[in-house]
Coordinates of all heavy atoms in Angstrom, one line a residue:
M1 N -62.6 -88.4 -7.6 CA -63.3 -87.2 -8.2 C -63.0 -86.0 -7.3 O -62.9 -86.1 -6.1 CB -64.8 -87.5 -8.2 CG -65.5 -86.7 -9.2 SD -67.1 -87.3 -9.2 CE -67.8 -87.0 -10.6
G2 N -62.9 -84.9 -7.9 CA -62.6 -83.6 -7.2 C -63.8 -83.1 -6.4 O -64.9 -83.7 -6.4
S3 N -63.5 -82.0 -5.7 CA -64.6 -81.4 -4.9 C -65.6 -80.6 -5.7 O -66.5 -80.0 -5.1 CB -63.9 -80.6 -3.8 OG -63.2 -79.5 -4.3
D4 N -65.4 -80.5 -7.0 CA -66.3 -79.7 -7.8 C -67.7 -80.4 -7.7 O -67.8 -81.6 -7.9 CB -65.8 -79.7 -9.2 CG -66.5 -78.7 -10.1 OD1 -66.8 -77.6 -9.7 OD2 -66.7 -79.1 -11.3
D5 N -68.7 -79.6 -7.5 CA -70.1 -80.1 -7.4 C -70.8 -80.5 -8.7 O -71.8 -81.1 -8.6 CB -70.9 -79.2 -6.5 CG -71.0 -77.8 -7.0 OD1 -70.4 -77.5 -8.1 OD2 -71.7 -77.0 -6.4
S6 N -70.2 -80.1 -9.8 CA -70.8 -80.5 -11.1 C -70.0 -81.6 -11.8 O -68.8 -81.3 -12.2 CB -71.0 -79.3 -12.0 OG -69.7 -78.8 -12.3
P7 N -70.5 -82.8 -11.8 CA -69.7 -83.9 -12.4 C -69.4 -83.7 -13.9 O -70.3 -83.3 -14.6 CB -70.5 -85.1 -12.1 CG -71.9 -84.7 -11.9 CD -71.8 -83.2 -11.4
D8 N -68.2 -83.9 -14.3 CA -67.8 -83.7 -15.6 C -66.8 -84.9 -16.0 O -65.7 -84.8 -15.7 CB -67.1 -82.4 -15.8 CG -66.7 -82.1 -17.3 OD1 -66.7 -83.1 -18.1 OD2 -66.2 -81.0 -17.6
P9 N -67.4 -86.0 -16.5 CA -66.6 -87.2 -16.7 C -65.4 -86.9 -17.6 O -64.3 -87.5 -17.4 CB -67.5 -88.1 -17.4 CG -68.9 -87.6 -17.1 CD -68.8 -86.2 -16.9
F10 N -65.5 -86.0 -18.6 CA -64.3 -85.8 -19.5 C -63.2 -85.1 -18.7 O -62.1 -85.4 -18.8 CB -64.8 -84.9 -20.7 CG -63.6 -84.5 -21.5 CD1 -63.0 -85.5 -22.4 CD2 -63.1 -83.3 -21.5 CE1 -61.9 -85.2 -23.1 CE2 -62.0 -82.9 -22.3 CZ -61.4 -83.9 -23.1
M11 N -63.6 -84.0 -17.9 CA -62.6 -83.3 -17.1 C -62.0 -84.2 -16.1 O -60.8 -84.2 -15.8 CB -63.2 -82.1 -16.5 CG -62.2 -81.3 -15.7 SD -60.8 -80.7 -16.8 CE -61.3 -79.0 -17.0
D12 N -62.8 -85.1 -15.5 CA -62.3 -86.1 -14.5 C -61.2 -87.0 -15.2 O -60.2 -87.3 -14.6 CB -63.4 -86.9 -13.9 CG -64.3 -86.2 -13.0 OD1 -63.8 -85.1 -12.5 OD2 -65.4 -86.6 -12.7
E13 N -61.5 -87.4 -16.4 CA -60.5 -88.2 -17.1 C -59.2 -87.5 -17.4 O -58.1 -88.0 -17.2 CB -61.1 -88.7 -18.4 CG -60.2 -89.6 -19.2 CD -60.8 -90.0 -20.6 OE1 -62.0 -90.1 -20.7 OE2 -60.0 -90.3 -21.5
V14 N -59.3 -86.2 -17.8 CA -58.2 -85.4 -18.1 C -57.3 -85.2 -16.8 O -56.1 -85.4 -16.8 CB -58.6 -84.0 -18.6 CG1 -57.4 -83.0 -18.6 CG2 -59.2 -84.1 -20.0
L15 N -58.0 -85.0 -15.7 CA -57.3 -84.8 -14.4 C -56.7 -86.1 -13.9 O -55.6 -86.1 -13.4 CB -58.3 -84.2 -13.4 CG -58.8 -82.8 -13.7 CD1 -59.9 -82.4 -12.7 CD2 -57.7 -81.8 -13.7
D16 N -57.4 -87.2 -14.1 CA -56.9 -88.5 -13.7 C -55.6 -88.8 -14.5 O -54.6 -89.3 -13.9 CB -57.9 -89.6 -14.0 CG -59.0 -89.7 -13.0 OD1 -58.9 -89.0 -11.9 OD2 -60.0 -90.3 -13.4
R17 N -55.6 -88.5 -15.7 CA -54.3 -88.7 -16.5 C -53.2 -87.8 -16.1 O -52.1 -88.2 -16.1 CB -54.7 -88.6 -18.0 CG -55.6 -89.7 -18.5 CD -56.0 -89.5 -20.0 NE -54.8 -89.7 -20.8 CZ -54.8 -89.4 -22.1 NH1 -55.9 -89.1 -22.7 NH2 -53.7 -89.6 -22.8
A18 N -53.6 -86.6 -15.7 CA -52.5 -85.6 -15.4 C -51.9 -86.0 -14.0 O -50.7 -85.8 -13.9 CB -53.2 -84.2 -15.3
V19 N -52.6 -86.5 -13.1 CA -52.0 -86.8 -11.8 C -51.6 -88.3 -11.7 O -51.0 -88.7 -10.7 CB -53.0 -86.5 -10.6 CG1 -53.3 -85.0 -10.6 CG2 -54.3 -87.3 -10.7
A20 N -51.8 -89.1 -12.7 CA -51.5 -90.5 -12.6 C -50.0 -90.8 -12.2 O -49.8 -91.7 -11.4 CB -51.8 -91.2 -13.9
P21 N -49.1 -90.0 -12.7 CA -47.7 -90.3 -12.3 C -47.4 -90.1 -10.8 O -46.4 -90.6 -10.3 CB -46.9 -89.3 -13.2 CG -47.8 -88.9 -14.3 CD -49.2 -89.0 -13.8
Y22 N -48.3 -89.4 -10.2 CA -48.0 -89.1 -8.7 C -48.8 -89.9 -7.8 O -48.7 -89.8 -6.6 CB -48.4 -87.6 -8.5 CG -47.7 -86.7 -9.5 CD1 -48.3 -86.2 -10.6 CD2 -46.3 -86.4 -9.3 CE1 -47.6 -85.4 -11.5 CE2 -45.6 -85.6 -10.2 CZ -46.3 -85.1 -11.3 OH -45.6 -84.3 -12.2
V23 N -49.7 -90.8 -8.3 CA -50.5 -91.6 -7.4 C -49.7 -92.4 -6.4 O -50.1 -92.5 -5.2 CB -51.4 -92.6 -8.3 CG1 -52.1 -93.6 -7.4 CG2 -52.4 -91.8 -9.1
S24 N -48.6 -93.0 -6.8 CA -47.8 -93.8 -5.8 C -46.8 -92.9 -5.0 O -46.1 -93.5 -4.1 CB -47.1 -94.9 -6.5 OG -46.2 -94.4 -7.4
L25 N -46.8 -91.6 -5.3 CA -45.8 -90.8 -4.7 C -46.3 -89.9 -3.6 O -45.6 -89.5 -2.7 CB -45.1 -89.9 -5.8 CG -44.4 -90.7 -6.9 CD1 -43.8 -89.7 -7.9 CD2 -43.2 -91.5 -6.3
V26 N -47.6 -89.5 -3.7 CA -48.1 -88.6 -2.7 C -49.4 -89.2 -2.1 O -50.1 -90.0 -2.7 CB -48.5 -87.2 -3.4 CG1 -47.2 -86.5 -3.9 CG2 -49.5 -87.4 -4.5
P27 N -49.7 -88.7 -0.9 CA -51.0 -89.2 -0.2 C -52.2 -88.8 -1.0 O -52.2 -87.8 -1.7 CB -50.9 -88.5 1.2 CG -49.6 -88.0 1.3 CD -49.0 -87.8 0.0
P28 N -53.3 -89.5 -0.8 CA -54.6 -89.2 -1.5 C -55.1 -87.8 -1.3 O -55.6 -87.2 -2.2 CB -55.6 -90.3 -1.0 CG -54.7 -91.4 -0.5 CD -53.4 -90.8 0.0
D29 N -54.9 -87.3 -0.1 CA -55.4 -85.9 0.1 C -54.6 -84.9 -0.6 O -55.2 -83.9 -1.1 CB -55.5 -85.6 1.6 CG -54.1 -85.7 2.3 OD1 -53.3 -86.6 1.9 OD2 -53.9 -85.0 3.3
V30 N -53.3 -85.1 -0.8 CA -52.5 -84.2 -1.6 C -52.8 -84.3 -3.1 O -52.9 -83.4 -3.8 CB -51.0 -84.5 -1.4 CG1 -50.1 -83.6 -2.3 CG2 -50.6 -84.2 0.1
L31 N -53.1 -85.6 -3.5 CA -53.5 -85.8 -4.9 C -54.8 -85.1 -5.2 O -54.9 -84.5 -6.3 CB -53.7 -87.3 -5.1 CG -53.5 -87.9 -6.4 CD1 -52.1 -87.6 -6.9 CD2 -53.7 -89.4 -6.4
E32 N -55.7 -85.1 -4.2 CA -57.0 -84.4 -4.4 C -56.8 -82.8 -4.5 O -57.4 -82.2 -5.3 CB -57.9 -84.7 -3.3 CG -59.4 -84.4 -3.5 CD -59.9 -85.2 -4.7 OE1 -59.5 -86.3 -4.9 OE2 -60.8 -84.6 -5.4
L33 N -55.9 -82.3 -3.7 CA -55.5 -80.9 -3.8 C -54.9 -80.6 -5.2 O -55.2 -79.5 -5.8 CB -54.5 -80.5 -2.7 CG -55.1 -80.5 -1.3 CD1 -54.0 -80.3 -0.3 CD2 -56.2 -79.4 -1.2
M34 N -54.1 -81.5 -5.7 CA -53.5 -81.3 -7.0 C -54.5 -81.2 -8.1 O -54.5 -80.4 -9.0 CB -52.4 -82.4 -7.3 CG -51.2 -82.3 -6.4 SD -50.1 -83.8 -6.6 CE -49.7 -83.8 -8.3
R35 N -55.5 -82.2 -8.0 CA -56.6 -82.2 -9.0 C -57.4 -81.0 -9.0 O -57.7 -80.4 -10.0 CB -57.5 -83.4 -8.7 CG -56.9 -84.8 -9.1 CD -57.9 -85.9 -8.6 NE -59.2 -85.7 -9.1 CZ -59.7 -86.2 -10.3 NH1 -58.9 -86.8 -11.1 NH2 -60.9 -85.9 -10.7
D36 N -57.7 -80.5 -7.7 CA -58.5 -79.3 -7.6 C -57.8 -78.1 -8.2 O -58.4 -77.3 -8.9 CB -58.9 -79.1 -6.2 CG -59.9 -80.1 -5.7 OD1 -60.5 -80.8 -6.5 OD2 -60.1 -80.3 -4.4
A37 N -56.5 -77.9 -7.8 CA -55.8 -76.8 -8.3 C -55.6 -76.8 -9.8 O -55.8 -75.8 -10.5 CB -54.4 -76.8 -7.7
L38 N -55.4 -78.0 -10.4 CA -55.3 -78.2 -11.8 C -56.6 -77.8 -12.5 O -56.6 -77.2 -13.5 CB -54.8 -79.6 -12.2 CG -54.5 -79.9 -13.6 CD1 -53.4 -78.9 -14.1 CD2 -54.0 -81.3 -13.7
R39 N -57.7 -78.3 -12.0 CA -59.0 -78.0 -12.5 C -59.3 -76.5 -12.6 O -59.7 -76.0 -13.6 CB -60.1 -78.7 -11.7 CG -61.5 -78.4 -12.2 CD -62.6 -78.9 -11.3 NE -62.5 -80.3 -11.0 CZ -63.1 -81.3 -11.7 NH1 -63.9 -81.0 -12.7 NH2 -63.0 -82.6 -11.4
E40 N -59.0 -75.9 -11.5 CA -59.2 -74.4 -11.4 C -58.4 -73.7 -12.4 O -58.8 -72.8 -13.1 CB -58.9 -73.9 -10.0 CG -59.9 -74.2 -9.0 CD -59.6 -73.6 -7.6 OE1 -58.9 -72.6 -7.6 OE2 -60.0 -74.3 -6.6
D41 N -57.1 -74.1 -12.5 CA -56.2 -73.4 -13.4 C -56.6 -73.6 -14.9 O -56.5 -72.7 -15.7 CB -54.7 -73.9 -13.2 CG -54.1 -73.3 -11.9 OD1 -54.7 -72.4 -11.4 OD2 -53.1 -73.9 -11.5
L42 N -56.9 -74.9 -15.2 CA -57.3 -75.2 -16.6 C -58.6 -74.4 -17.0 O -58.7 -74.0 -18.2 CB -57.5 -76.7 -16.8 CG -56.3 -77.5 -16.8 CD1 -56.6 -79.0 -16.8 CD2 -55.4 -77.2 -18.0
L43 N -59.5 -74.3 -16.1 CA -60.8 -73.7 -16.5 C -60.7 -72.1 -16.4 O -61.5 -71.4 -17.0 CB -61.9 -74.2 -15.6 CG -62.2 -75.7 -15.9 CD1 -63.3 -76.2 -14.9 CD2 -62.6 -76.0 -17.3
A44 N -59.8 -71.6 -15.6 CA -59.7 -70.2 -15.4 C -58.9 -69.5 -16.5 O -59.1 -68.4 -16.9 CB -59.0 -69.8 -14.1
N45 N -58.0 -70.3 -17.1 CA -57.1 -69.7 -18.2 C -57.9 -69.8 -19.5 O -58.3 -70.9 -19.9 CB -55.8 -70.5 -18.3 CG -54.9 -70.0 -19.4 OD1 -55.3 -69.9 -20.5 ND2 -53.7 -69.7 -19.0
P46 N -58.2 -68.7 -20.2 CA -59.0 -68.8 -21.4 C -58.5 -69.7 -22.5 O -59.2 -70.4 -23.2 CB -59.1 -67.3 -21.9 CG -58.7 -66.5 -20.7 CD -57.8 -67.4 -19.9
T47 N -57.2 -69.7 -22.6 CA -56.5 -70.5 -23.7 C -56.7 -72.0 -23.3 O -57.1 -72.8 -24.2 CB -55.0 -70.2 -23.8 OG1 -54.9 -68.8 -24.1 CG2 -54.4 -71.0 -24.9
S48 N -56.4 -72.4 -22.1 CA -56.5 -73.8 -21.8 C -58.0 -74.3 -21.7 O -58.3 -75.4 -22.1 CB -55.9 -74.2 -20.4 OG -56.5 -73.5 -19.4
A49 N -58.9 -73.4 -21.3 CA -60.3 -73.7 -21.3 C -60.8 -74.0 -22.8 O -61.6 -74.9 -23.0 CB -61.1 -72.6 -20.7
K50 N -60.4 -73.2 -23.7 CA -60.7 -73.4 -25.1 C -60.2 -74.7 -25.6 O -60.9 -75.5 -26.3 CB -60.2 -72.3 -26.0 CG -61.0 -71.0 -25.9 CD -60.4 -69.9 -26.8 CE -61.0 -68.6 -26.6 NZ -60.4 -67.5 -27.4
L51 N -58.9 -75.0 -25.2 CA -58.3 -76.3 -25.7 C -59.1 -77.5 -25.1 O -59.3 -78.5 -25.8 CB -56.9 -76.4 -25.3 CG -56.0 -75.4 -26.1 CD1 -54.6 -75.4 -25.5 CD2 -55.9 -75.8 -27.5
I52 N -59.5 -77.4 -23.8 CA -60.2 -78.5 -23.2 C -61.5 -78.7 -23.9 O -61.9 -79.8 -24.2 CB -60.5 -78.2 -21.7 CG1 -59.2 -78.2 -20.9 CG2 -61.5 -79.1 -21.1 CD1 -58.6 -79.6 -20.7
N53 N -62.2 -77.6 -24.2 CA -63.5 -77.7 -24.9 C -63.3 -78.3 -26.3 O -64.2 -79.0 -26.8 CB -64.2 -76.4 -25.0 CG -64.8 -76.0 -23.6 OD1 -65.2 -76.9 -22.9 ND2 -64.9 -74.7 -23.3
R54 N -62.2 -78.0 -27.0 CA -62.0 -78.5 -28.3 C -61.7 -80.0 -28.2 O -61.9 -80.8 -29.2 CB -60.8 -77.8 -29.0 CG -61.3 -76.4 -29.4 CD -60.2 -75.7 -30.2 NE -60.0 -76.4 -31.5 CZ -59.1 -76.1 -32.4 NH1 -58.3 -75.1 -32.1 NH2 -59.0 -76.8 -33.5
L55 N -61.1 -80.5 -27.1 CA -60.8 -81.9 -26.9 C -62.0 -82.7 -26.5 O -62.0 -84.0 -26.7 CB -59.7 -82.0 -25.9 CG -58.3 -81.6 -26.2 CD1 -57.4 -81.6 -25.0 CD2 -57.7 -82.4 -27.3
R56 N -63.0 -82.1 -26.0 CA -64.2 -82.8 -25.6 C -64.8 -83.6 -26.8 O -64.9 -83.2 -27.9 CB -65.3 -81.9 -25.1 CG -65.0 -81.3 -23.8 CD -66.2 -80.4 -23.3 NE -65.8 -79.7 -22.1 CZ -65.8 -80.3 -20.9 NH1 -66.1 -81.5 -20.8 NH2 -65.4 -79.6 -19.9
P57 N -65.2 -84.9 -26.5 CA -65.9 -85.7 -27.5 C -67.2 -85.0 -27.9 O -67.9 -84.5 -27.1 CB -66.1 -87.0 -26.9 CG -65.7 -86.9 -25.5 CD -65.1 -85.6 -25.2
R58 N -67.5 -85.1 -29.2 CA -68.7 -84.5 -29.7 C -69.9 -85.5 -29.4 O -69.6 -86.7 -29.5 CB -68.6 -84.2 -31.2 CG -67.6 -83.2 -31.5 CD -67.6 -82.9 -32.9 NE -66.5 -81.9 -33.2 CZ -66.5 -81.1 -34.2 NH1 -67.4 -81.2 -35.1 NH2 -65.5 -80.3 -34.3
P59 N -71.1 -85.0 -29.1 CA -72.2 -85.9 -28.9 C -72.5 -86.7 -30.2 O -72.4 -86.2 -31.3 CB -73.3 -85.0 -28.5 CG -73.0 -83.7 -29.0 CD -71.5 -83.6 -29.1
E60 N -72.8 -88.0 -30.0 CA -73.2 -88.8 -31.1 C -74.6 -88.5 -31.5 O -75.5 -88.4 -30.6 CB -73.0 -90.3 -30.7 CG -71.6 -90.7 -30.6 CD -71.4 -92.2 -30.4 OE1 -72.2 -92.9 -30.9 OE2 -70.4 -92.6 -29.8
L61 N -74.9 -88.5 -32.7 CA -76.2 -88.2 -33.2 C -76.9 -89.5 -33.6 O -76.3 -90.4 -34.2 CB -76.2 -87.2 -34.4 CG -75.5 -85.9 -34.2 CD1 -75.4 -85.1 -35.5 CD2 -76.2 -85.1 -33.2
A62 N -78.2 -89.6 -33.3 CA -79.0 -90.8 -33.7 C -79.2 -90.8 -35.2 O -79.2 -91.8 -35.8 CB -80.3 -90.8 -32.9
Q63 N -79.4 -89.6 -35.7 CA -79.7 -89.5 -37.2 C -79.0 -88.3 -37.7 O -78.6 -87.3 -36.9 CB -81.2 -89.3 -37.4 CG -82.1 -90.4 -36.9 CD -83.5 -90.0 -37.1 OE1 -83.9 -89.1 -37.8 NE2 -84.4 -90.7 -36.4
S64 N -78.7 -88.2 -39.0 CA -78.0 -87.1 -39.5 C -78.9 -85.8 -39.5 O -78.3 -84.7 -39.6 CB -77.6 -87.4 -41.0 OG -78.8 -87.6 -41.8
D65 N -80.2 -85.9 -39.4 CA -81.0 -84.7 -39.3 C -81.3 -84.3 -37.9 O -82.1 -83.4 -37.7 CB -82.3 -84.9 -40.1 CG -83.2 -86.0 -39.4 OD1 -82.7 -86.8 -38.6 OD2 -84.4 -86.1 -39.9
D66 N -80.5 -84.7 -36.9 CA -80.6 -84.3 -35.5 C -80.1 -82.9 -35.3 O -80.4 -82.2 -34.3 CB -79.9 -85.2 -34.5 CG -80.7 -86.5 -34.3 OD1 -81.8 -86.6 -34.7 OD2 -80.1 -87.4 -33.7
V67 N -79.3 -82.4 -36.3 CA -78.8 -81.0 -36.2 C -79.3 -80.2 -37.3 O -79.3 -80.6 -38.5 CB -77.2 -81.1 -36.3 CG1 -76.6 -79.7 -36.3 CG2 -76.6 -81.9 -35.1
E68 N -79.8 -79.0 -36.9 CA -80.3 -78.1 -38.0 C -79.2 -77.4 -38.6 O -78.3 -76.8 -37.9 CB -81.3 -77.1 -37.4 CG -82.7 -77.6 -37.1 CD -83.6 -76.5 -36.7 OE1 -83.5 -75.4 -37.3 OE2 -84.5 -76.8 -35.9
V69 N -79.1 -77.4 -39.9 CA -78.1 -76.7 -40.6 C -78.8 -75.5 -41.4 O -79.6 -75.8 -42.2 CB -77.3 -77.6 -41.6 CG1 -76.3 -76.8 -42.4 CG2 -76.7 -78.7 -40.9
P70 N -78.5 -74.3 -41.0 CA -79.1 -73.2 -41.7 C -78.7 -73.1 -43.2 O -77.6 -73.4 -43.5 CB -78.6 -71.9 -40.9 CG -77.4 -72.4 -40.3 CD -77.5 -73.8 -40.0
F71 N -79.7 -72.7 -44.0 CA -79.4 -72.6 -45.4 C -78.5 -71.4 -45.6 O -78.8 -70.3 -45.1 CB -80.7 -72.4 -46.2 CG -80.5 -72.1 -47.6 CD1 -80.1 -73.1 -48.5 CD2 -80.7 -70.8 -48.1 CE1 -79.9 -72.8 -49.8 CE2 -80.4 -70.5 -49.4 CZ -80.1 -71.5 -50.3
T72 N -77.5 -71.5 -46.3 CA -76.6 -70.4 -46.7 C -76.5 -70.4 -48.2 O -76.2 -71.4 -48.8 CB -75.2 -70.5 -46.1 OG1 -74.7 -71.8 -46.4 CG2 -75.3 -70.5 -44.5
Q73 N -76.8 -69.2 -48.7 CA -76.7 -69.1 -50.2 C -75.3 -68.6 -50.5 O -74.7 -67.7 -49.9 CB -77.7 -68.0 -50.6 CG -77.8 -67.8 -52.1 CD -78.9 -66.8 -52.5 OE1 -79.8 -66.6 -51.7 NE2 -78.8 -66.2 -53.6
T74 N -74.7 -69.2 -51.6 CA -73.4 -68.8 -52.1 C -73.5 -67.4 -52.6 O -74.4 -67.1 -53.4 CB -72.9 -69.7 -53.2 OG1 -73.0 -71.1 -52.7 CG2 -71.5 -69.4 -53.6
P75 N -72.6 -66.5 -52.2 CA -72.6 -65.1 -52.7 C -72.6 -65.1 -54.2 O -71.8 -65.8 -54.8 CB -71.4 -64.5 -52.1 CG -71.0 -65.3 -50.9 CD -71.5 -66.7 -51.3
G76 N -73.4 -64.2 -54.8 CA -73.4 -64.1 -56.3 C -74.4 -65.1 -57.0 O -74.6 -64.9 -58.2
M77 N -74.9 -66.0 -56.3 CA -75.8 -67.0 -56.9 C -77.2 -66.6 -56.7 O -77.6 -66.1 -55.6 CB -75.6 -68.4 -56.3 CG -74.3 -69.0 -56.8 SD -74.3 -70.8 -56.3 CE -75.3 -71.5 -57.6
K78 N -78.1 -66.8 -57.7 CA -79.5 -66.5 -57.5 C -80.2 -67.7 -57.0 O -79.8 -68.8 -57.3 CB -80.1 -66.2 -58.9 CG -79.5 -64.9 -59.5 CD -80.1 -64.7 -60.9 CE -79.5 -63.5 -61.5 NZ -79.9 -63.3 -62.9
P79 N -81.2 -67.5 -56.1 CA -81.9 -68.7 -55.6 C -82.4 -69.5 -56.7 O -82.9 -69.0 -57.7 CB -83.0 -68.0 -54.8 CG -82.6 -66.6 -54.5 CD -81.7 -66.2 -55.6
G80 N -82.3 -70.8 -56.6 CA -82.8 -71.8 -57.6 C -81.8 -72.1 -58.7 O -82.0 -72.9 -59.6
S81 N -80.6 -71.4 -58.7 CA -79.7 -71.6 -59.8 C -78.7 -72.7 -59.5 O -77.8 -72.9 -60.3 CB -79.0 -70.3 -60.2 OG -78.2 -69.9 -59.1
E82 N -78.8 -73.3 -58.4 CA -77.8 -74.3 -58.0 C -77.7 -75.5 -58.9 O -76.7 -76.0 -59.2 CB -78.0 -74.9 -56.5 CG -78.0 -73.8 -55.5 CD -79.3 -73.2 -55.3 OE1 -80.3 -73.6 -55.7 OE2 -79.3 -72.1 -54.6
G83 N -78.9 -76.0 -59.4 CA -79.0 -77.2 -60.2 C -79.0 -77.0 -61.6 O -79.0 -77.9 -62.4
S84 N -78.9 -75.8 -62.1 CA -78.9 -75.6 -63.6 C -77.5 -75.8 -64.2 O -76.6 -75.1 -63.8 CB -79.4 -74.2 -63.9 OG -78.6 -73.2 -63.3
G85 N -77.4 -76.9 -65.0 CA -76.1 -77.3 -65.5 C -75.3 -76.3 -66.3 O -74.2 -76.0 -65.9
G86 N -75.9 -75.7 -67.3 CA -75.2 -74.7 -68.0 C -74.2 -75.2 -69.0 O -73.4 -74.4 -69.5
R87 N -74.2 -76.5 -69.3 CA -73.3 -77.0 -70.3 C -73.8 -76.8 -71.7 O -74.8 -77.0 -72.1 CB -72.9 -78.4 -70.1 CG -72.0 -78.6 -68.9 CD -71.6 -80.0 -68.9 NE -70.9 -80.2 -67.6 CZ -70.2 -81.3 -67.4 NH1 -70.2 -82.3 -68.2 NH2 -69.6 -81.5 -66.2

């Protein structure tokens, strides 16, 4: 795990996979420096930070109503007209 004081299992997994090819090639302290530098670069660059956040697994919901979905009315429709068949 890197020297970052906030544990992030997903980022740790990303970094582990990134440095895996070098595990048998460089000493552990150099590997740790590589992880730290990569973490900083990935999070400092806005594009890579967005990509990392998009790759993060979404939290599992216990029920489908665990998330509030705001009501949005379709433009041009009157309230209450959604169910009127009109055939």
Side-chain angles (χ1 to χ4, degrees):
M1 199 175 209
S3 61
D4 191 40
D5 55 2
S6 62
D8 182 350
F10 177 74
M11 184 57 102
D12 288 340
E13 181 182 336
V14 169
L15 296 171
D16 286 344
R17 291 177 66 187
V19 300
Y22 306 100
V23 169
S24 62
L25 302 174
V26 299
D29 57 330
V30 173
L31 209 57
E32 197 63 31
L33 290 172
M34 291 170 62
R35 284 175 55 88
D36 292 343
L38 187 56
R39 178 187 304 267
E40 285 181 31
D41 288 346
L42 286 174
L43 296 177
N45 181 304
T47 302
S48 63
K50 285 180 187 177
L51 289 173
I52 292 290
N53 284 330
R54 289 185 68 185
L55 289 172
R56 286 183 188 282
R58 295 179 184 207
E60 292 188 28
L61 303 176
Q63 301 176 16
S64 63
D65 63 350
D66 283 349
V67 175
E68 282 189 37
V69 178
F71 173 76
T72 56
Q73 183 176 339
T74 306
M77 288 190 79
K78 296 179 184 173
S81 65
E82 299 87 15
S84 57
R87 285 188 189 189

